[in-house]
Amino acid sequence: MTKILIAFFVLLVPAVSAQPVIKGGLEAFVTANNIYPQYSLQNCIQGTVTISFKLSKSGHVYYSKISSGIGTDLDDEALRLIRLSSGKWTVPENHDTTVFLVAPMKFTLSGYNCADKDPQEIKRAIAVYKSSEALANSIQNFYKNKEKGDIKAGEEARFIALKRELGYDDAYFKERIADGLKKIQQQDKQGACEDFLFVKYMGSDLADEMLEKYCR
């Protein structure tokens, strides 16, 4: 069982009579829609990610950013959840649309033996994620160039070895696709297609059917 909690939700403005609200509350919305990302799930990475965002008069999120994060895929999930809330907010008439709202999200896990996980091992996993992002980007750039026919003969073997070293195998890609399908059920097409495109540009054809079906 995974669990995600919202620590609190505040406005970075002086107190006003009314504030933007989301039906059922932000905590309930996030609890219902979170998909704990694979890397952080597998490595028992938990913590608080703070998202700053702005709302239009119609309750749509028109700008969002990570104010402070953990440095793993939990940051991306927190940002996705705020994006997913777009259009679901009720905004008071006097709301200043230029003002940042702040949502600190506390991600916690239960049921994965994370209490027994060595904290130093978790720190190392976070460091590995940060350092591997650049390598993952280089793999994706290679396969994007391959799609254009702009690569040198014999180059691919190096990137196949790099994928193996970083743990990007079919099992990981299938989990990423499964997460994307969950996002489709949430009507988060953008988030789903990002997952499917990640798989594609890591040199796998496992997501091709999903890309054809959902992302054309």
Side-chain angles (χ1 to χ4, degrees):
M1 172 184 178
T2 59
K3 184 187 297 182
I4 176 176
L5 301 174
I6 296 294
F8 51 89
F9 172 61
V10 296
L11 288 171
L12 283 183
V13 291
V16 293
S17 57
Q19 296 182 1
V21 295
I22 188 169
K23 185 177 180 179
L26 185 59
E27 180 176 343
F29 174 83
V30 172
T31 300
N33 290 285
N34 84 90
I35 300 172
Y36 215 97
Q38 289 299 321
Y39 185 88
S40 292
L41 177 63
Q42 293 167 3
N43 291 280
C44 290
I45 298 171
Q46 307 173 70
T48 300
V49 180
T50 301
I51 303 297
S52 299
F53 64 104
K54 296 179 181 181
L55 288 174
S56 68
K57 290 289 188 181
S58 60
H60 287 81
V61 177
Y62 72 89
Y63 181 82
S64 57
K65 66 178 182 178
I66 299 167
S67 292
S68 63
I70 297 168
T72 70
D73 44 8
L74 284 177
D75 297 355
D76 298 327
E77 176 62 7
L79 195 59
R80 185 189 77 87
L81 287 163
I82 288 299
R83 184 180 67 204
L84 189 64
S85 75
S86 185
K88 298 179 173 64
W89 293 88
T90 299
V91 179
E93 289 185 5
N94 65 343
H95 175 64
D96 183 351
T97 60
T98 67
V99 170
F100 274 109
L101 312 181
V102 178
M105 301 184 188
K106 184 177 181 181
F107 290 83
T108 61
L109 282 168
S110 62
Y112 287 88
N113 298 320
C114 290
D116 300 327
K117 192 85 168 182
D118 183 353
Q120 292 303 315
E121 189 176 343
I122 295 173
K123 287 183 179 180
R124 285 193 293 271
I126 294 173
V128 167
Y129 185 92
K130 291 177 179 178
S131 64
S132 68
E133 272 195 301
L135 296 175
N137 288 337
S138 71
I139 295 170
Q140 292 187 75
N141 288 334
F142 169 80
Y143 283 104
K144 288 176 183 177
N145 289 331
K146 181 181 179 182
E147 188 175 51
K148 300 174 186 175
D150 186 21
I151 61 170
K152 297 177 182 178
E155 271 190 309
E156 189 166 8
R158 178 165 64 90
F159 289 96
I160 291 173
L162 183 56
K163 283 195 295 181
R164 189 180 304 115
E165 180 183 341
L166 294 175
Y168 292 123
D169 54 15
D170 283 354
Y172 178 86
F173 295 143
K174 288 175 181 177
E175 290 171 345
R176 192 73 179 252
I177 291 168
D179 284 350
L181 290 172
K182 292 176 185 175
K183 293 170 188 176
I184 288 292
Q185 293 176 349
Q186 296 173 347
Q187 299 184 342
D188 179 16
K189 180 179 176 181
Q190 179 180 346
C193 291
E194 287 172 356
D195 283 331
F196 302 150
L197 283 170
F198 177 87
V199 173
K200 175 182 179 179
Y201 289 123
M202 291 302 284
S204 171
D205 60 4
L206 289 174
D208 287 359
E209 182 181 347
M210 303 301 117
L211 285 166
E212 179 69 21
K213 184 174 181 179
Y214 298 112
C215 306
R216 288 179 62 85

